[in-house]
Amino acid sequence: MQPSHIEHIGIAVKSIEAAIPYYEKVLGLTCYSIEEVPEQKVRTAFFKIGQTKIELLESTDPEGPVGKFIEKKGEGVHHVAFAVEGLQQVLDLTAEQGVQLIDKQPRKGAEGLNIAFLHPKSTFGVLTELCEQPK
Ligand code: CMX
């Protein structure tokens, strides 16, 4: 797979408005975008730090993936996203290596990226996202 870098770290929060001041005033980062992703039942807030982003995730539906996560585990790191090239091929190879895919094919994620998730049961407890910039 050989990811080029960590594209972002997804952090589940109860309220992005409540969390943004910590990232801006304490860490000194700037929130450059707030975007709702209805298919994922989340609102997101993004910060850049080098090549990597922090993605805050606020649930818009208690039955969505982030709503269920917060209910079960509370706020905290939700997923790690790696930047890859050739996402469909990477997914096929990853499945051949015995890793359980949540998405067999890429779908659209925040910021227009093509994304796919690997199941945390197959990745030592870390929900893993693979992302590719659309060509
Ligand atoms: N990290 C680690 N483990 C997680 C997890 C996470 N983020 N979310 C769930 N789990 C664990 C659960 O704790 C549970 O473990 P146990 O069986 O030991 O209790 C197991 O995975 C299954 O959890 P579940 O509640 O039965 O299953 P869910 O219906 O919650 O589905 C998952 C879990 C990962 C398949 C689902 O959340 C998913 O498809 N996620 C991918 C999409 C997503 O997360 N979107 C939000 C972000 C979107 C964005 O970045 O824009």
Side-chain angles (χ1 to χ4, degrees), residues 28-67:
L29 305 176
T30 302
C31 175
Y32 67 88
S33 146
I34 292 182
E35 178 188 348
E36 183 159 348
V37 187
E39 313 81 61
Q40 300 288 326
K41 301 182 166 66
V42 289
R43 278 175 77 225
T44 62
F46 282 95
F47 306 81
K48 278 203 183 86
I49 172 159
Q51 251 192 307
T52 301
K53 298 164 199 156
I54 300 285
E55 177 188 34
L56 300 184
L57 297 157
E58 174 190 293
S59 177
T60 55
D61 179 342
E63 290 307 313
V66 173

Side-chain angles (χ1 to χ4, degrees), residues 6 11 32 35 38-40 42 93 96 103 105 115-116 128:
I6 292 181
I11 298 175
Y32 67 88
E35 178 188 348
E39 313 81 61
Q40 300 288 326
V42 289
L93 284 171
E96 278 171 30
D103 302 297
Q105 275 144 15
I115 65 164
T128 300

